[in-house]
């Protein structure tokens, strides 16, 4: 028997905040230095989520395709900026190809999922498009950061090895094939681990949310499977395309390493 | 010197050969924020010669070799290999013909056989037939590496063995030019002598050798030239 989500009052939410206060108190007592980060993080979390809740309610009410696409554009822009911040590389410009690839791949996959699989009408229906796109952007952003950072650091650390292969007649792609695979694996590993561990090691947040809001667990599971496949596909596609473009930019016209 | 060698044109500071192997024309190169390594330098490197490159540390000897192999790009001017601008050649094709041996030997965690044949995995060399085990063993023996088995791990080798193995790996695809970046700098006397002998033999077989050295080594039975790099200037003499 299922029932709708139980309403959580502000008072009950403040009880949940006691857990964070307890951690802060332990940090103060043990002089761990976590209290400032915890306080700022908790306040930001509440404000950002509150703002998001009201913004989403407003957008759902508007039901405008332009607004949905604008939000999607901004989400991808921020994601590309975060990826840039996570990668320690100044010489090679990778932000624009990363942004454009993210924009195209995420739009395509989210549209196929909402319009083709979920059957939302129209496909950009904000209730479906925005949350699903958000999950895609968030997951792939982490994967991209990991993959690009690995690509750059390995090209720098294994420069002699790459140049040795170039000197034997390898093309840039041949000389960096091992590093490319390593970077791809580093980016994909969290998604692949999540595929293997879902349902056994952890219950995903989206599925938990649906169940808590009174949805049939079997339907929640179907959504979760869809989301998992969508996340793996978008992550793999984005990481492969971006790594390919950026790898090419790491070599000059003479196939010389310029990182 | 026991054969007829092209003479140096003292005015042009270059070899008088009509058939140079490499030509540098008004080449400029500087590392970012540093003094120029090459400042509008022109030089012709004779085909089939043994060129000893000398100069103080940091003068730009390694950079010159890297420019000739396109591991770096010139800031201005042109480098030609056998009359053709190296920028007009496919990089892999240039490097197949102009082998560059790095100062520190790079030996991956593979067997001796895999290391020696690694170049054959690349598209540019796929029309070549890799030598069989018997030929590989004979080559190892030639470089006094006869004690090694083809299945031995490359990472277990000493510095001298690694350098000789890398030299063999570079020679196995049959380059016409060998650029050697201080190949004997960290080797014991025997290994050093063997590497020098192999380089001289390669020169006698018709290859052009450009070798950076700080030693008094003088190759015998080949046309020897000395190239000096200092404060952005290159001089070539006999």
């Amino acid at each position: 028997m299922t029932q709708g989500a139980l309403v959580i009052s502000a008072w009950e939410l403040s009880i949940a905040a006691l857990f964070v206060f307890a951690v802060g108190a332990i940090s103060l007592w043990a002089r761990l230095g976590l209290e400032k980060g915890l306080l700022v993080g908790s306040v930001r979390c509440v404000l950002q989520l509150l703002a998001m809740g009201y913004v989403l309610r407003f957008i759902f009410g508007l039901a405008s395709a332009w607004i949905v696409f604008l939000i999607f554009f901004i989400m991808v822009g921020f994601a590309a900026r975060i990826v840039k911040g996570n990668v320690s590389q100044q010489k090679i410009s990778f932000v624009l190809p990363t942004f454009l690839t993210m924009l195209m791949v995420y739009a395509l996959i989210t549209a196929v999922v909402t319009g083709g699989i979920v059957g939302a009408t129209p496909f950009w229906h904000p209730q479906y498009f925005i949350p699903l796109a958000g999950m895609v952007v968030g997951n792939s952003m982490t994967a991209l950061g990991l993959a690009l950072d690995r690509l750059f650091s390995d090209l720098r650390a294994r420069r002699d090895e790459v140049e040795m292969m170039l000197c034997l007649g390898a093309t840039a792609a041949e000389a960096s094939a091992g590093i490319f695979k390593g970077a791809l694996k580093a980016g994909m590993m969290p998604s692949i681990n999540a595929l293997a561990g879902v349902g056994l090691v952890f219950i995903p947040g989206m599925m938990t949310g649906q169940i808590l809001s009174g949805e049939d667990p079997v339907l929640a599971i179907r959504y979760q499977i869809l989301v998992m496949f969508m996340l793996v596909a978008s992550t793999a596609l984005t990481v492969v395309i971006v790594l390919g473009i950026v790898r090419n930019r790491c070599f000059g016209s003479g196939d010389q390493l310029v990182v | 010197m026991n054969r007829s060698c092209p003479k140096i044109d003292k005015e042009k500071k270059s070899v008088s050969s009509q058939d140079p192997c490499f030509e540098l024309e008004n080449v400029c190169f500087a590392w970012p924020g540093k003094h120029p390594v090459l400042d509008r330098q022109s030089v012709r490197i004779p085909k089939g010669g043994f060129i000893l490159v000398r100069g103080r540390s940091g003068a730009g000897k390694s950079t010159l070799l890297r420019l000739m192999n396109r591991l770096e790009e010139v800031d201005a001017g042109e480098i030609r290999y056998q009359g053709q601008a190296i920028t007009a050649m496919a990089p892999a094709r240039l490097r197949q013909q102009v082998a560059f041996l790095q100062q520190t030997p790079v030996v991956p965690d593979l067997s001796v056989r895999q290391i020696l044949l690694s170049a054959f995995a690349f598209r540019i060399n796929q029309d070549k037939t890799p030598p069989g085990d018997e030929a590989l063993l004979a080559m190892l023996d030639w470089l006094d590496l006869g004690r090694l088995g083809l299945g031995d791990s490359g990472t277990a080798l000493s510095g001298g063995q690694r350098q000789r193995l890398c030299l063999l790996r570079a020679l196995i695809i049959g380059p016409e030019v060998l650029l050697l970046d201080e190949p004997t700098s960290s080797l014991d006397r025997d290994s050093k002598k063997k590497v020098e002998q192999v380089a001289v033999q390669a020169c006698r077989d018709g290859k052009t050798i450009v070798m950076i050295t700080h030693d008094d080594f003088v190759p015998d039975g080949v046309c020897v030239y000395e190239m000096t790099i200092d404060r952005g200037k290159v001089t070539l003499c006999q």
Side-chain angles (χ1 to χ4, degrees):
Chain A
M1 186 181 165
T2 58
Q3 57 179 34
L6 299 172
V7 175
I8 304 173
S9 68
W11 166 246
E12 285 158 336
L13 271 182
S14 63
I15 295 175
L18 285 177
F19 292 120
V20 182
F21 282 122
V23 177
I26 292 170
S27 170
L28 270 175
W29 174 73
R31 295 180 184 173
L32 298 177
L34 296 175
E35 55 283 356
K36 193 182 167 191
L38 270 174
L39 181 69
V40 173
S42 303
V43 171
R44 277 189 67 165
C45 167
V46 171
L47 293 179
Q48 286 168 198
L49 287 178
L50 273 175
M52 182 190 243
Y54 286 110
V55 168
L56 284 180
R57 185 187 278 176
F58 175 70
I59 292 162
F60 288 0
L62 284 179
S64 155
W66 289 110
I67 298 288
V68 170
F69 294 140
L70 178 68
I71 287 173
F72 175 67
F73 191 85
I74 292 168
M75 278 159 66
V76 175
F78 271 107
R81 216 179 127 185
I82 290 168
V83 170
K84 187 192 174 196
N86 288 339
V87 178
S88 51
Q89 170 62 42
Q90 307 295 327
K91 253 179 147 177
I92 311 295
S93 60
F94 61 89
V95 178
L96 189 63
T98 301
F99 173 72
L100 292 176
T101 309
M102 285 168 119
L103 200 66
M104 284 186 281
V105 171
Y106 300 166
L108 178 74
I109 289 191
T110 311
V112 167
V113 169
T114 53
I117 301 172
V118 175
T121 316
F123 77 90
W124 51 264
H125 195 294
Q127 188 186 340
Y128 294 94
F129 197 89
I130 291 176
L132 288 172
M135 278 192 275
V136 168
V137 175
N139 268 269
S140 298
M141 176 186 79
T142 311
L144 260 180
L146 287 170
L148 284 172
D149 198 50
R150 174 67 76 87
L151 178 78
F152 289 129
S153 61
D154 275 6
L155 282 174
R156 279 193 295 261
R158 294 164 64 185
R159 183 181 195 102
D160 281 350
E161 194 186 320
V162 173
E163 290 193 338
M164 176 271 287
M165 287 190 260
L166 291 173
C167 290
L168 291 172
T171 58
E174 287 171 325
S176 58
I179 290 174
F180 183 90
K181 278 183 202 164
L184 181 59
K185 209 171 167 182
M188 288 303 297
M189 198 52 80
S191 303
I192 292 170
N193 284 345
L195 272 184
V198 67
L200 285 175
V201 183
F202 65 97
I203 299 175
M206 191 202 81
M207 193 174 133
T208 310
Q210 277 189 301
I211 293 170
L212 285 177
S213 67
E215 197 57 80
D216 175 12
V218 175
L219 182 64
I221 281 166
R222 285 188 187 178
Y223 265 95
Q224 192 57 49
I225 292 170
L226 175 74
V227 165
M228 297 299 287
F229 288 171
M230 177 183 78
L231 294 182
V232 169
S234 60
T235 302
L237 207 55
T238 317
V239 172
V240 167
I241 295 172
V242 172
L243 275 184
I245 296 171
V246 175
R247 189 254 304 263
N248 284 347
R249 291 185 169 208
C250 292
F251 291 87
S253 59
D255 274 1
Q256 66 278 81
L257 199 50
V258 292
V259 174
Chain B
M1 205 178 300
N2 57 4
R3 66 181 189 188
S4 158
C5 300
K7 300 288 179 218
I8 298 287
D9 180 331
K10 284 185 181 169
E11 268 184 32
K12 289 182 183 170
K13 294 188 297 180
S14 207
V15 74
S16 59
S17 165
Q18 293 301 305
D19 192 17
C21 170
F22 265 101
E23 292 168 273
L24 278 69
E25 196 175 309
N26 294 322
V27 170
C28 298
F29 180 85
W31 292 105
K34 300 267 176 76
H35 289 294
V37 173
L38 294 172
D39 188 7
R40 289 179 61 85
Q41 291 301 291
S42 299
V43 70
R44 298 172 86 194
I45 294 174
K47 200 172 183 176
F50 199 116
I51 293 92
L52 293 165
V53 184
R54 299 188 196 275
R56 61 183 168 76
S57 290
K61 305 181 293 295
S62 300
T63 306
L64 173 69
L65 265 55
R66 291 174 66 84
L67 287 167
M68 289 162 72
N69 198 246
R70 274 196 95 187
L71 288 176
E72 306 294 342
E73 294 282 37
V74 297
D75 295 334
E78 189 173 75
I79 298 180
R80 287 188 288 273
Y81 171 66
Q82 297 195 337
Q84 190 180 7
I86 59 172
T87 48
M89 297 176 74
R93 180 68 64 197
L94 170 75
R95 293 178 186 131
Q96 185 198 41
Q97 293 176 31
V98 182
F100 176 64
L101 189 68
Q102 294 150 297
Q103 186 173 359
T104 310
V106 182
V107 174
D109 187 13
L110 298 170
S111 71
V112 168
R113 181 191 291 105
Q114 287 171 312
I115 292 166
L116 287 174
L117 299 180
S118 46
F120 293 93
F122 306 133
R123 205 180 314 144
I124 194 87
N125 297 316
Q126 275 176 353
D127 56 338
K128 299 186 176 211
T129 311
D133 283 358
E134 209 172 307
L136 290 178
L137 287 168
M139 290 177 203
L140 287 174
D141 205 36
W142 176 51
L143 274 162
D144 287 349
L145 293 169
R147 282 188 212 159
L148 292 181
L150 292 173
D152 291 352
S153 168
T155 49
L157 306 181
S158 71
Q161 287 175 319
R162 284 177 181 215
Q163 190 61 287
R164 279 177 280 164
L165 198 67
C166 290
L167 180 57
L168 197 52
R169 179 178 60 192
L171 281 169
I172 228 163
I173 44 172
E176 291 172 28
V177 181
L178 260 182
L179 306 174
L180 305 173
D181 189 355
E182 292 194 61
T184 59
S185 61
S186 58
L187 303 188
D188 60 76
R189 219 177 71 175
D190 291 344
S191 297
K192 189 174 147 185
K193 206 169 170 187
K194 194 68 215 177
V195 168
E196 288 168 352
Q197 279 175 2
V198 169
V200 171
Q201 187 55 51
C203 189
R204 286 181 190 148
D205 292 343
K207 298 187 194 306
T208 305
I209 311 293
V210 184
M211 178 169 148
I212 297 175
T213 181
H214 288 289
D215 300 331
D216 298 330
F217 161 64
V218 179
D220 189 35
V222 289
C223 296
V224 183
Y225 302 86
E226 196 166 294
M227 186 185 274
T228 311
I229 305 183
D230 189 35
R231 294 166 211 270
K233 310 281 177 220
V234 180
T235 49
L236 186 72
C237 57
Q238 225 151 2

